[in-house]
Amino acid sequence: MPRHGKPQQRQPLLLPDAAPAGDRGGDGGGGAMRRRRFVAFLAISVALVASYHHLAPAPASRYHALFLSLGSNDTAAAHLRALTTRPHVAGTEANAVAAEYVRGVLSSSSFPTRVTPYSVLLSYPIHRSLSLSLPGHAAAFNFALVQDTYPGDPYVEASAEVIPTYFAYSGSGSIAAEVVYANYGNTKDYAYLASRGVDVAGKVALVRYGNLHCEDMVRNARAAGAAAAIVYTDAKDFGGTGAKGKRKWFPDERWLPPTGVQVGTLYYGNGDPTTTPLWPSCAAGEDCERLSKEELDGSAAMPGIPALPVSARDGETILKAMGGDAAPTEWQGGEGAPMYRLGPGPAVLNLTYIGNETLATIENVFAVIEGKEEPDRYVIIGNHRDAWTFGAVDPNSGTAAMLEIAERLYKLEKKGWRPRRTIIMCSWDAEEFALIGSTEWVEDNMDMLSSRAIAYLNVDISVFGPGGFSPRSTPQLDQLIKEASQMVRDPDDPSQTLYDTMIRHHPPIARVAGAGTDFAAFLQYIGVPSLDMSYGIISAAAISLASANIIVLAVEDYPVYHSLYDDYVWMERFGDPLFHRHVALASVWGLIALRLADDEILPFNYDSYASELEKCTKVVEGGCPGCPVSFAPLHKSINQLRKAANKIHKEKMMLQADNWRLKTRDYTVKVRDINDRLMMAERAFINREGLDGRPWYKHMIYASSDQDDWGTKAFPGIVSAIDKANKLNTAESWQLLQHEIYRAARAVSKASAVLDGRLT
């Protein structure tokens, strides 16, 4: 089809006249005539071929290069400003306005759009109070529990709409008890308290934000016997450096102000708590099966105890009132902080929290660009829209980047581009509560997605500062990420590409597995290849965690996380003043989507997967020296995967070398066969029974740790079984570990069989 004007009619192919019977050679007049006709035929053929190439659509690579040239800093900035004028928690009118903005931008690009609503259980605060009492003091100190605005704050009026600081799904109740300081609130911290004779039972556990997410902190406090939990933001981690009197914070610096509070969710699950796990929710007014309130209250996924987040200033006030032994050096605060003591008491905290858990409507927004040759194959890109406050970094830097991609794709369409496969753009709702929007949609469309989804490409936070490109993915996408990042200049150093800055990280590409954002349902529930990416500072702490296969956004990277101060001003001053980082991230994100949508043969490389699993197996074995089990089944299955990966790679290379047969049916069938095997191999890592004790998590290779909902663990079932066996040291526990090794090995062998295209 021509790029301009109406389609032109192709002329029928002219063949030379057949020679008369009996006249098969010679130099007579008949032969000369045949030669003249043949020469004329060649000339017409050459002209037709030239005409065909002139009229044929431009190759995909040309459109991909054009896509990279269409980025707009101003467009990204305008979208972010529009999305962050008001705080927009899921289930509120302001978030419905944000949903309509996203739908309007997508529909203005002439893409078919739709909104899919679900009625789900959300949690809001009704009443919060916290006071501190000391023996011998008649009056208690009442905490304000308010995040202060600052002089000249352009969002001071909108700040009145910010939801009061709280933890979603916190247990309701009133507790008056002494305080125990438990550092970052992990299981090792509580073990240390027990070793020092500090009893947490019935007390209020005071913990500080760090390398665990809040739901894990509160779960650990409950497991230790605490009656309630207070989680505060320590100035050492979030408040910057320098002497106490000289420290600066937002709006002067990027650090969290003393009254800043990080809010979050305590639900230890994914999706609507009334319908998850294993079946989807429905729209308001429709009938769907739900758990009862009694079933919810008794669920291990609910925190079960009252909990409240507080500021650095409030946390320090509590610590000053505590007695007991001095905490270890590594538990202490920064320069100028008081001595931190373990307790218990003599300070007594009186905490009351009453929450309202109610069914509310959330809205997922979609745009669909239908594929021309393979409309039944989906490349899905997504980002959540809801935010605890203004959400300039989390998540709307990602939303702005996705809308900027949409506008570029619209311009490509006007130039004649159509994707080979269907591209679906998704704006998820209620991610902050429990990945609800994406999880319900995946559960709702599981069968279609299981057979048709090529990959899910997620960006939650697209930009949180300078520093570099940080992708994480399932391993078959590694090579594609490298190739795409080589095509995009680094916005902070145009002499380098994103690839150049990425390979300075250790590792350059981390693994996507923890339950931190919306890829979870795609990867861990139905086995769709997935990635997530961002642009920002890579601290030494983050690199250390990444090298241990644990992905945690270090607090110094983005200190205003989930607080009042995550607004457009913070992004404009500290995150991305020129908005060129947004554009660069959108460029590599969109280019990866285009390659997956347009490449005739999917750019997946499973040799990377085999290499990664070999490394992970060594790590797992290293955590179990002398264990009375055999890892031989796992090694054998990984060797099978490598052989299958090499085989399909050779098939791909041979097929591409024979591309002169492009229009033959055999070629088309073979391309489809290879692509199906490449697409479906990840599904083979799914086990219908799921992980032990966590049936929703079905991926045998990558999932969150059962001790850390955000931590990434390879072979999570094996890692959990090793931990139990080392503690119990019983024949049954070692037998369970061997069983988990076999389960992982079977999953890898299944993936090998899919790649190989064979039946047993």
Side-chain angles (χ1 to χ4, degrees), residues 182-403:
N183 194 29
Y184 291 115
N186 58 48
T187 54
K188 292 181 179 178
D189 293 333
Y190 286 105
Y192 175 79
L193 288 173
S195 72
R196 294 287 298 271
V198 178
D199 188 6
V200 183
K203 305 298 193 298
V204 176
L206 176 68
V207 297
R208 56 180 176 177
Y209 273 112
N211 294 335
L212 285 183
H213 197 239
C214 53
E215 68 254 34
D216 292 294
M217 294 178 178
V218 176
R219 285 177 77 238
N220 291 341
R222 181 182 66 182
I230 297 292
V231 183
Y232 79 100
T233 49
D234 198 301
K236 175 183 178 181
D237 300 315
F238 294 84
T241 57
K244 183 178 180 182
K246 299 179 180 178
R247 183 176 290 130
K248 293 183 178 180
W249 47 77
F250 183 73
D252 299 314
E253 298 289 348
R254 61 192 174 99
W255 301 103
L256 186 70
T259 62
V261 177
Q262 182 185 141
V263 302
T265 184
L266 299 184
Y267 178 62
Y268 197 77
N270 295 341
D272 177 9
T274 68
T275 62
T276 294
L278 308 182
W279 70 88
S281 187
C282 55
E286 296 181 3
D287 183 33
C288 56
E289 183 180 8
R290 295 187 185 275
L291 299 176
S292 67
K293 185 179 186 304
E294 291 73 24
E295 288 173 310
L296 279 172
D297 290 343
S299 168
M302 288 296 186
I305 60 174
L308 197 66
V310 301
S311 67
R313 184 174 66 185
D314 292 347
E316 186 171 297
T317 298
I318 297 170
L319 285 160
K320 285 179 179 178
M322 291 181 63
D325 294 338
T329 302
E330 60 271 22
W331 289 32
Q332 295 295 329
E335 184 178 354
M339 172 68 71
Y340 291 2
R341 297 187 177 276
L342 300 178
V348 172
L349 283 179
N350 193 322
L351 165 65
T352 297
Y353 176 80
I354 300 174
N356 175 30
E357 294 173 1
T358 182
L359 290 177
T361 295
I362 64 170
E363 296 177 317
N364 292 333
V365 181
F366 302 93
V368 180
I369 310 174
E370 188 173 2
K372 185 177 182 181
E373 286 87 2
E374 298 180 70
D376 61 337
R377 292 293 181 262
Y378 307 147
V379 176
I380 306 171
I381 68 176
N383 159 266
H384 78 92
R385 178 187 67 256
D386 66 297
W388 287 120
T389 61
F390 295 98
V393 177
D394 180 13
N396 296 129
S397 64
T399 312
M402 186 171 73
L403 295 179

Side-chain angles (χ1 to χ4, degrees), residues 468-491:
F469 174 53
S470 303
R472 48 182 177 151
S473 75
T474 45
Q476 74 274 67
L477 293 170
D478 286 1
Q479 186 60 35
L480 174 58
I481 292 170
K482 292 174 183 177
E483 292 172 1
S485 63
Q486 287 172 333
M487 300 291 292
V488 181
R489 309 310 299 180
D490 188 307

Side-chain angles (χ1 to χ4, degrees), residues 469-485 498-499 501-512 530-533 538 546-547 549-551 588 592 608 612 615-616 702 712:
F469 174 53
S470 303
R472 48 182 177 151
S473 75
T474 45
Q476 74 274 67
L477 293 170
D478 286 1
Q479 186 60 35
L480 174 58
I481 292 170
K482 292 174 183 177
E483 292 172 1
S485 63
L498 289 182
Y499 174 79
T501 57
M502 178 184 74
I503 60 175
R504 293 201 291 266
H505 304 166
H506 305 285
I509 302 174
R511 294 300 149 222
V512 55
S530 300
L531 67 75
D532 186 54
M533 61 182 80
I538 305 300
S547 65
N549 248 357
I550 301 173
I551 304 303
V588 71
I592 290 170
S608 296
E612 185 70 14
K615 296 175 186 176
C616 293
Y702 292 116
T712 296

Side-chain angles (χ1 to χ4, degrees), residues 670-681:
K670 186 62 177 175
V671 167
R672 182 76 169 197
D673 171 65
I674 288 178
N675 282 340
D676 283 352
R677 288 151 58 193
L678 289 168
M679 178 182 73
M680 297 302 294

Side-chain angles (χ1 to χ4, degrees), residues 365-445:
V365 181
F366 302 93
V368 180
I369 310 174
E370 188 173 2
K372 185 177 182 181
E373 286 87 2
E374 298 180 70
D376 61 337
R377 292 293 181 262
Y378 307 147
V379 176
I380 306 171
I381 68 176
N383 159 266
H384 78 92
R385 178 187 67 256
D386 66 297
W388 287 120
T389 61
F390 295 98
V393 177
D394 180 13
N396 296 129
S397 64
T399 312
M402 186 171 73
L403 295 179
E404 207 261 337
I405 289 173
E407 296 197 21
R408 293 199 225 180
L409 295 181
Y410 171 59
K411 293 175 183 177
L412 288 190
E413 273 201 332
K414 292 200 296 183
K415 296 290 186 181
W417 167 80
R418 278 279 303 281
R420 179 184 181 90
R421 304 178 185 93
T422 296
I423 296 175
I424 304 175
M425 286 176 281
C426 315
S427 174
W428 307 117
D429 204 349
E431 186 268 2
E432 295 292 6
F433 283 83
L435 315 183
I436 294 178
S438 58
T439 299
E440 298 309 316
W441 189 75
V442 168
E443 291 177 345
D444 211 7
N445 297 276

Side-chain angles (χ1 to χ4, degrees), residues 26 32 86 106 132 277 324 368 418 469 556 558 592 614 634 695 739:
R86 298 170 65 189
L106 295 173
L132 174 69
V368 180
R418 278 279 303 281
F469 174 53
E556 62 264 35
Y558 169 32
I592 290 170
E614 285 177 348
L634 192 53
H739 172 63

